[in-house]
Amino acid sequence: MKRFFLIALVLSVVLLGCQKVENTKGSSFSAANKMSVVTTIGMIGDVATNIGGDRIEVYSMMGAGVDPHLYKAKAQDLTRLNKADLILYNGIHLESKMGDVLEKLSKTQNIKAIENGIPEETLITVDQAHDPHIWFDVSNWMLASNVILEALINTDPAGEVIYRENHASYRKKLEDLDKYTKDKAMTIPKENRILITAHDAFNYFGRAYGFEVQGLQGISTVDEAGTSDVRDLADFITKNQIRSLFVESSVSPKSIKALQAAVQSRGWDVEIGGELFSDAMGNTGTREGTYIGMVTHNIDTIVAGLSLEGK
Ligand SMILES: [Zn+2]
């Protein structure tokens, strides 16, 4: 009897031990024991928050006004990355200064790139490189939401039903956003749909919503605009009598202001049509601090700046 009791005791300790190991691996997260998700850009974090609800806690390293092309991981980021249950990043060389860090993390951590869910034929190629700014075509961000859903389920299978429900309702909002953006773009004549910004972040936006797009810098802010770029673009703007240029929240307005001055010296009064959120969302807690809010703000600002009214 005593022996049986001992065996039972040993068995229950072993079983309890196993259970504990499983828990620390994160098989069961809840509102009280949240999954820690770390993302690079805020746009990924926002989608994760919408799908994960209160089972997850999201930290996005790159907040309002931060340029992801130039961002280097800080010491506190590394601490969070090493403790995270799930890491999500864009890829396609957007986070170009974090390549080594992400590469290292991929060997030890649960990490997923959005680029894996975007078919290669969907990607735009500029100067022999894929353009990383995929989020400006809302249909791409629907694909991104699928990647995020899958990653959350893999990390926390017990939350699958909730994640799928949240995802379905968020996808519906993205479909509405895509339609809103298309309809709004159509309110200005095709010949006025020319978008000039500080850097080439809007190629996917242009393809999806019918705009010709010209950025003063290339698809990465790492390369600076040269004086011949300013001259050529100033000629183009003057010739086409483009009404407005747009500054970007994550890029210094200096280059766009120089371009405006160059156009004005050619006798055409081009305006600054407002600030667009390109590679970072607005402040947390504001409408523009969400992906849907940022896209809505951008299309509203662009249409207001390029429409014939008020000129
Ligand atoms: Zn960019």
Side-chain angles (χ1 to χ4, degrees):
M1 192 62 194
K2 204 175 170 189
R3 198 168 178 180
F4 171 77
F5 181 74
L6 253 179
I7 290 171
L9 187 73
V10 168
L11 257 177
S12 64
V13 167
V14 168
L15 283 172
L16 274 173
C18 285
Q19 216 174 1
K20 207 168 176 201
V21 168
E22 220 171 84
N23 263 341
T24 54
K25 269 187 174 170
S27 66
S28 182
F29 292 99
S30 64
N33 175 35
K34 293 179 198 284
M35 181 201 305
S36 145
V37 180
V38 176
T39 78
T40 53
I41 51 174
M43 292 77 93
I44 296 173
D46 183 45
V47 176
T49 302
N50 276 281
I51 301 173
D54 65 2
R55 289 176 80 89
I56 72 169
E57 189 167 72
V58 177
Y59 177 75
S60 295
M61 294 159 53
M62 304 171 189
V66 173
D67 182 342
H69 302 285
L70 304 177
Y71 190 87
K72 290 181 186 143
K74 299 188 173 82
Q76 77 234 35
D77 295 329
L78 294 173
T79 310
R80 283 176 190 269
L81 286 164
N82 283 311
K83 280 197 208 150
D85 298 304
L86 172 65
I87 300 166
L88 297 166
Y89 69 104
N90 188 75
I92 326 176
H93 302 293
L94 174 75
E95 300 96 340
S96 62
K97 305 277 181 195
M98 283 193 53
D100 291 349
V101 171
L102 293 169
E103 170 75 31
K104 251 185 220 154
L105 288 165
S106 71
K107 294 193 176 106
T108 55
Q109 298 300 103
N110 178 23
I111 180 165
K112 189 93 192 166
I114 301 301
E115 72 169 299
N116 295 329
I118 311 289
E120 204 182 335
E121 62 269 22
T122 306
L123 297 175
I124 293 175
T125 303
V126 179
D127 295 335
Q128 293 168 337
H130 284 141
D131 183 335
H133 306 91
I134 46 177
W135 54 91
F136 282 124
D137 176 344
V138 179
S139 69
N140 283 343
W141 224 229
M142 290 182 208
L143 297 174
S145 78
N146 297 346
V147 176
I148 296 166
L149 171 68
E150 204 178 292
L152 289 175
I153 292 173
N154 283 340
T155 313
D156 176 24
E160 177 166 357
V161 174
I162 295 165
Y163 297 147
R164 286 199 187 280
E165 260 177 37
N166 291 346
H167 179 247
S169 77
Y170 189 65
R171 277 275 308 222
K172 175 79 185 60
K173 287 183 193 163
L174 293 183
E175 280 160 25
D176 292 346
L177 176 68
D178 191 43
K179 186 174 182 313
Y180 173 82
T181 310
K182 277 190 181 125
D183 291 347
K184 188 95 191 189
M186 291 305 158
T187 62
I188 46 176
K190 179 145 186 34
E191 63 270 23
N192 291 106
R193 274 184 251 140
I194 303 177
L195 178 62
I196 315 268
T197 58
H199 89 298
D200 249 338
F202 291 87
N203 292 317
Y204 292 95
F205 172 87
R207 183 177 70 181
Y209 307 110
F211 285 80
E212 182 180 340
V213 173
Q214 299 263 1
L216 190 51
Q217 284 167 275
I219 54 169
S220 170
T221 52
V222 173
D223 316 305
E224 285 194 22
T227 44
S228 67
D229 299 323
V230 175
R231 212 168 43 221
D232 292 349
L233 204 46
D235 288 339
F236 175 83
I237 292 160
T238 310
K239 189 170 150 252
N240 290 283
Q241 304 202 325
I242 292 167
R243 289 156 195 282
S244 297
L245 313 175
F246 298 90
V247 293
E248 295 175 36
S249 63
S250 52
V251 182
S252 158
K254 226 172 75 187
S255 62
I256 280 292
K257 294 220 165 111
L259 180 62
Q260 181 187 33
V263 174
Q264 283 166 343
S265 77
R266 284 160 170 77
W268 174 248
D269 191 18
V270 70
E271 288 177 21
I272 304 285
E275 182 183 66
L276 306 181
F277 294 96
S278 55
D279 291 1
M281 305 191 301
N283 289 317
T284 311
T286 64
R287 188 182 75 133
E288 294 78 18
T290 66
Y291 171 71
I292 290 175
M294 118 194 243
V295 174
T296 308
H297 166 92
N298 284 350
I299 188 66
D300 289 349
T301 304
I302 291 165
V303 167
L306 297 180
S307 68
L308 300 169
E309 283 156 41
K311 296 272 167 174

